Amino acid sequence: MTSLHALTIPPLIRGMHNISAILKKAQASGIDASILLTSRIHPEMLPFPNQILFLTNMAVRTTTEINSSLPPSPLPPLEENPTFDTLISRIASAINYLESVTPEQLDGREEAAVKLRIDRRKWAGDIAYVEYGTVEFVQMHAHPYFWFHVVTAYDLLRAGGVELGKFDFLNAAGLKSFEFRDD
């Protein structure tokens, strides 16, 4: 069986490396950064920087939900007017934090319970509580939440005119080698 650390940490790190490379591509695109950084899909949606805030927070929070004795998040609150540079720096800080988490700090906690309080939007008017087993939390909550915000950030940039494709989403940081052939 794959270890809890292997199930949890490498996908989060890879996703953050890729979204960081995508942000650098957006930054170099020549498209007005203020347009990209204020983009949103829906008027009630928070703007682009919040996607980076949410994915980095979830990446770091995933580890502390699994092991509450881990140090708290080193990530500062989101600045009032973030730039691509500050968002890229935030991603780098989250990656550094995750790289510091050892297998010994997560493995062996597969059967522990993770209890979450989920504040629903004001339109719902209530608070939900949910309890997961640790592996279930990683697979059914943490990763989907993280990837939702990675995809949303990618989609906002692509809709804003940044030349992105599926390969950018999968391997923008060049973490995996590919052999291209005309077969």
Side-chain angles (χ1 to χ4, degrees):
M1 177 178 172
T2 300
S3 76
L4 183 57
H5 182 275
L7 174 71
T8 306
I9 303 298
L12 297 172
I13 291 173
R14 183 179 177 98
M16 286 191 292
H17 276 297
N18 283 342
I19 199 65
S20 182
I22 288 168
L23 264 61
K24 291 173 187 172
K25 194 170 185 177
Q27 189 175 32
S29 71
I31 299 169
D32 184 350
S34 67
I35 293 171
L36 295 174
L37 291 170
T38 58
S39 64
R40 52 182 93 208
I41 295 170
H42 188 275
E44 291 182 9
M45 177 184 180
L46 294 170
F48 177 83
N50 290 82
Q51 305 309 314
I52 305 305
L53 171 76
F54 297 147
L55 73 90
T56 53
N57 283 354
M58 179 50 73
V60 171
R61 182 176 158 216
T62 297
T63 62
T64 58
E65 290 290 349
I66 294 170
N67 182 347
S68 62
S69 70
L70 288 171
S73 169
L75 302 175
L78 191 63
E79 296 176 2
E80 188 172 325
N81 294 306
T83 64
F84 280 118
D85 285 334
T86 59
L87 295 173
I88 292 165
S89 176
R90 180 182 186 81
I91 293 167
S93 293
I95 291 169
N96 288 339
Y97 178 85
L98 291 181
E99 287 176 340
S100 75
V101 176
T102 66
E104 295 77 23
Q105 291 172 310
L106 299 185
D107 293 347
R109 298 176 186 280
E110 291 79 4
E111 301 304 320
V114 175
K115 298 175 186 175
L116 302 177
R117 173 187 161 141
I118 302 171
D119 295 329
R120 295 185 354 155
R121 293 220 178 245
K122 59 185 170 196
W123 53 263
D126 64 359
I127 297 168
Y129 294 90
V130 65
E131 183 174 323
Y132 293 104
T134 305
V135 173
E136 181 186 27
F137 163 71
V138 171
Q139 292 177 323
M140 302 302 173
H141 183 86
H143 278 243
Y145 185 105
F146 171 82
W147 289 106
F148 172 86
H149 291 290
V150 171
V151 168
T152 303
Y154 168 91
D155 287 344
L156 286 168
L157 293 176
R158 185 162 184 192
V162 179
E163 291 292 326
L164 297 171
K166 190 182 302 182
F167 195 75
D168 292 298
F169 180 83
L170 295 173
N171 199 44
L175 300 174
K176 190 74 176 165
S177 297
F178 287 85
E179 177 185 336
F180 295 97
R181 301 183 303 210
D182 292 326
D183 287 348

